[in-house]
Amino acid sequence: MRTIRMLAGALALALLPAPAVRAEEVPKATPEEAKAWVAALNAELKELFTRQAKAEWIKSTYITDDTEFMAAAANEEAMAVMARAVKESLRFDGLALDPETARAIKLLRVTSTLPAPNDPAKRRELAATMAKLEGIYGKGKYCDAEGKCRDLQELSAVMAENKNPDPKAMLEAWVGWHTISPEMRPLYERLMALGNEGAREIGFKDMGELWRSGYDMTPAQFEKETDRLWEQVKPLYESLHCYVRAQLGKRYGAEVVPAKGPIPAHLLGNMWAQEWANLYPMMTPFPGEASLDVDGALQGQGYDALKMVKMGEGFFTSLGFDALPESFWQRSQLVKPRDRDVVCHASAWDVTYDNDLRIKMCIKPTEEDLVTIHHELGHIYYFNKYYTRPVLFQQGANDGFHEAIGDAIALSITPGYLKKMGLIEKEPAGDKGLINVQLKSALERVAFLPFGKLIDQWRWDVESGKITAANYNKAWWELRRKYQGVDAPVARSEADFDPGAKYHVPANVPYTRYFLARILQFQFHKALCDAAGHKGPLHTCSIYGNKVAGEKLGAMLAMGASRPWPEAMEAITGKKGMDGSAMLEYYKPLMGWLKKQNKGLKCGW
């Protein structure tokens, strides 16, 4: 979605027994040797990941052939060391290890989301392919017949237009951006082949099985768990989809938006139709209620990137967290440079794994970017709380946790908070005001759910061979229709490579974390509101300024990956499982209203 942490492929988590690795017999060691080996490895990895992160930072903030080469070289070095370390760790299989050493070794086995083959030539090819794919995305531009070239930000602005939306212009922007990815197709096919080879060498069937092994359960159990969570929240999404489709049909007509089928992807206010918040102005249920035009307030009050990030920092310091170090302000990229290509996709970094905190964004004075800033600072403060731990423990309890923290904080950006910050004049009142607020929130958070699930479903099937290279695009749109009820606005073929138009695919960033985060954030929010002593409906709670909630949150963040995620979950919520019920509780008023609006409509697709 909006953020990643650039390290050795983005660290994952596992507690299940490590898969059997076929390798030559190696001499057994002692538990004491294993402990010493892990300590030495953590020190080595900290230096290695720092070199890699610095190369990636430079490449992302200054895209050239040279910086791509440097990043590829750093990634190749990291791949080689990780492959060697996994192989060496086999010496300690079967030993009675202390819990910390055993956990570190288990984490090591699933650290890289792009495991390299042992063959040095293939390892170099893999690193170069990865750098090339990211470079194609970062430099992507669409040039029209008149020679006017526009990048993703400019094209996304066309998609987001909601005052005088022009379907033809939006269609051109959508088709235009999707012209950047066909050249990725052969590179991506090779990336999958090399990554799968590396995964098999460390004992997994394919990369998909490796990715699904990071959640303290077997890969099959995890896939069932994501299905269970989706079924739990699916009725809420289906009701929202039904309402939005009907409203778009009223605006554009049945010949553009079919009354009973999927929604054309270019009409949902976002390049990937993943979040629909930009539709809110044209779908406001009760326009006469108090204004929620945060964009206008930010622009009218002269908010720039620095002021917006300072506001986000203020939220966290109000919880009792430390102010950001001076280096954060000196080293972050907060605006898009005028003199070079950069990756504008928002991300949070600890470049040295030692509190060298940075954000990379191209901030504009919009509510969407204000929420993104709070999200990214959630990552930043997670880094800040666990950076003193060994590097293998410097990650979220699971990768969904890392994404959920910032999202949970964003739930506290309530109308009351916005009024306190001077960004709205008065809070919406009564049932009408509440429905306005909840619909606006759901168009972002609820609309995202199926998209968050299907990205990795597509990749798992690609990695397992269920989807072949000859059917990349066909399978992609089958999943978009199945889960989202969204379809391509024009005919697509295998000459296209539409998955590559979404950053996380060419960048090889696991995506199920974002689906989990959209559910976990409500669990976390409810728990923190309970800790803060909040009384009343969940959707009215903001923990801004509550140091009791801050202390509870900080204690969980400081655990990093040192303990299994169910323990981290229990530390903040009192329960060990993931559950969508808090999300349903939060949106209960909206769900009731949507059912009334959809009466007589044929929902589904």
Side-chain angles (χ1 to χ4, degrees):
M1 191 186 129
R2 295 173 298 228
T3 187
I4 58 171
R5 186 182 184 190
M6 298 300 214
L7 45 120
L11 295 178
L13 174 64
L15 245 194
L16 70 166
V21 180
R22 294 184 178 180
E24 63 273 15
E25 288 296 323
V26 289
K28 294 294 184 180
T30 66
E32 292 72 25
E33 286 174 321
K35 186 177 182 68
W37 180 85
V38 165
L41 178 64
N42 270 308
E44 181 182 11
L45 290 180
K46 186 170 184 177
E47 294 183 7
L48 175 73
F49 290 170
T50 295
R51 289 195 297 273
Q52 185 187 29
K54 286 187 174 182
E56 286 286 353
W57 175 266
I58 295 169
K59 184 198 73 174
S60 294
T61 58
Y62 203 113
I63 303 173
T64 69
D65 290 343
D66 289 337
T67 59
E68 286 181 9
F69 176 85
M70 292 166 60
N75 286 328
E76 182 187 345
E77 179 190 15
M79 290 173 182
V81 172
M82 294 304 296
R84 184 211 77 207
V86 169
K87 187 175 181 179
E88 289 178 357
S89 73
L90 303 179
R91 298 174 57 210
F92 311 117
D93 282 357
L95 294 180
L97 303 176
D98 66 90
E100 184 170 302
T101 300
R103 184 161 181 77
I105 290 175
K106 288 174 182 176
L107 290 170
L108 171 67
R109 302 279 175 89
V110 292
T111 288
S112 177
T113 58
L114 188 61
N118 289 326
D119 184 329
K122 290 181 178 179
R123 195 162 57 235
R124 284 192 296 273
E125 182 186 3
L126 180 60
T129 301
M130 189 72 252
K132 184 66 174 175
L133 281 166
E134 271 207 89
I136 291 172
Y137 189 94
K139 292 182 287 190
K141 291 182 176 66
Y142 162 63
C143 300
D144 61 24
E146 298 178 357
K148 179 183 178 181
C149 296
R150 289 174 288 175
D151 62 16
L152 178 58
Q153 275 203 317
E154 294 167 310
L155 294 169
S156 292
V158 176
M159 305 289 290
E161 173 58 45
N162 50 42
K163 294 181 179 177
N164 296 294
D166 180 350
K168 291 183 179 179
M170 291 188 288
L171 179 60
E172 182 190 10
W174 189 94
V175 172
W177 178 248
H178 286 74
T179 63
I180 73 151
S181 52
E183 69 173 304
M184 297 178 185
R185 177 186 277 264
L187 293 167
Y188 191 78
E189 184 178 357
R190 187 59 178 156
L191 186 81
M192 292 295 98
L194 292 169
N196 273 346
E197 183 176 337
R200 286 190 294 270
E201 288 179 1
I202 58 173
F204 296 90
K205 293 178 181 178
D206 53 56
M207 283 200 295
E209 184 179 77
L210 168 60
W211 288 14
R212 295 191 301 276
S213 295
Y215 297 93
D216 300 318
M217 59 185 76
T218 69
Q221 288 171 335
F222 178 67
E223 194 163 2
K224 288 182 179 179
E225 179 70 354
T226 60
D227 289 342
R228 182 190 67 80
L229 291 169
W230 166 237
E231 289 300 322
Q232 195 174 8
V233 298
K234 183 179 177 182
L236 178 57
Y237 175 79
E238 289 180 332
S239 292
L240 181 67
H241 180 281
C242 192
Y243 175 78
V244 167
R245 182 178 59 192
Q247 297 303 307
L248 289 174
K250 290 178 183 178
R251 173 175 285 273
Y252 298 118
E255 67 279 3
V256 178
V257 183
K260 298 180 181 179
I263 302 171
H266 69 300
L267 298 177
L268 288 163
N270 173 273
M271 185 61 74
W272 309 280
Q274 68 179 58
E275 293 161 329
W276 308 344
N278 287 317
L279 298 181
Y280 177 74
M282 69 175 75
M283 294 192 177
T284 306
F286 304 103
E289 294 301 303
S291 173
L292 291 173
D293 183 15
V294 177
D295 288 9
L298 290 169
Q299 293 155 20
Q301 295 179 34
Y303 271 79
D304 59 10
L306 182 62
K307 189 175 180 181
M308 290 170 70
V309 179
K310 285 286 188 181
M311 179 179 170
E313 178 193 36
F315 192 105
F316 284 89
T317 56
S318 82
L319 301 179
F321 289 12
D322 293 337
L324 293 168
E326 186 60 31
S327 59
F328 171 88
W329 306 103
Q330 296 169 347
R331 297 170 183 173
S332 290
Q333 174 194 289
L334 302 181
V335 296
K336 184 178 181 180
R338 297 180 179 180
D339 61 341
R340 62 186 187 270
D341 289 323
V342 300
V343 176
C344 279
H345 182 87
S347 55
W349 307 55
D350 180 355
V351 174
T352 64
Y353 298 78
D354 198 24
N355 217 34
D356 184 359
L357 307 173
R358 309 180 194 183
I359 280 179
K360 175 184 63 58
M361 285 185 68
C362 300
I363 297 171
K364 293 187 175 182
T366 65
E367 181 180 11
E368 180 180 5
D369 277 7
L370 183 66
V371 172
T372 298
I373 287 165
H374 284 73
H375 173 94
E376 298 303 333
L377 289 179
H379 289 288
I380 290 293
Y381 277 102
Y382 214 155
F383 300 156
N384 173 257
K385 289 294 184 180
Y386 64 48
Y387 81 90
T388 57
R389 292 192 177 275
V391 74
L392 282 170
F393 294 160
Q394 286 193 40
Q395 50 185 306
N398 69 38
D399 57 5
F401 272 60
H402 231 302
E403 298 301 329
I405 294 304
D407 285 343
I409 293 299
L411 288 173
S412 283
I413 305 178
T414 59
Y417 172 72
L418 292 172
K419 182 176 183 295
K420 188 173 292 187
M421 296 296 106
L423 294 178
I424 60 174
E425 292 184 2
K426 61 179 181 177
E427 297 179 52
D431 292 341
K432 292 181 178 180
L434 170 60
I435 295 303
N436 278 358
V437 172
Q438 289 226 313
L439 180 65
K440 185 175 184 181
S441 171
L443 287 170
E444 178 190 353
R445 293 180 172 89
V446 177
F448 176 80
L449 290 166
F451 187 81
K453 187 178 188 316
L454 72 87
I455 296 284
D456 278 352
Q457 188 63 62
W458 180 82
R459 284 193 288 200
W460 295 343
D461 290 347
V462 167
E463 290 155 349
S464 70
K466 182 178 178 181
I467 296 173
T468 65
N471 293 303
Y472 277 169
N473 230 46
K474 179 176 180 289
W476 173 258
W477 286 107
E478 286 174 350
L479 288 171
R480 298 290 301 269
R481 287 187 291 271
K482 174 183 176 181
Y483 284 102
Q484 280 188 289
V486 167
D487 208 349
V490 295
R492 310 305 284 167
S493 74
E494 294 307 320
D496 303 302
F497 183 55
D498 295 332
K502 175 61 183 172
Y503 172 79
H504 299 73
V505 174
N508 203 53
V509 179
Y511 211 75
T512 305
R513 61 182 64 174
Y514 302 108
F515 169 73
L516 296 177
R518 289 301 166 101
I519 292 173
L520 293 176
Q521 64 180 278
F522 290 92
Q523 274 190 274
F524 294 166
H525 180 61
K526 180 176 175 59
L528 293 173
C529 289
D530 289 344
H534 173 74
K535 304 297 182 184
L538 184 58
H539 59 263
T540 64
C541 172
S542 176
I543 63 167
Y544 176 75
N546 192 286
K547 290 182 170 54
V548 175
E551 184 177 358
K552 191 178 190 71
L553 175 62
M556 190 276 282
L557 299 182
M559 294 169 70
S562 64
R563 303 299 303 165
W565 73 258
E567 294 185 27
M569 176 69 81
E570 188 174 31
I572 193 170
T573 70
K575 299 178 181 180
K576 290 188 174 183
M578 296 184 285
D579 182 24
S581 62
M583 180 181 230
L584 299 178
E585 177 186 346
Y586 185 94
Y587 287 113
K588 185 177 180 180
L590 178 66
M591 186 64 169
W593 182 82
L594 287 173
K595 285 183 177 179
K596 294 179 181 178
Q597 303 308 306
N598 294 337
K599 189 175 182 179
L601 299 177
K602 185 171 178 59
C603 297
W605 51 88

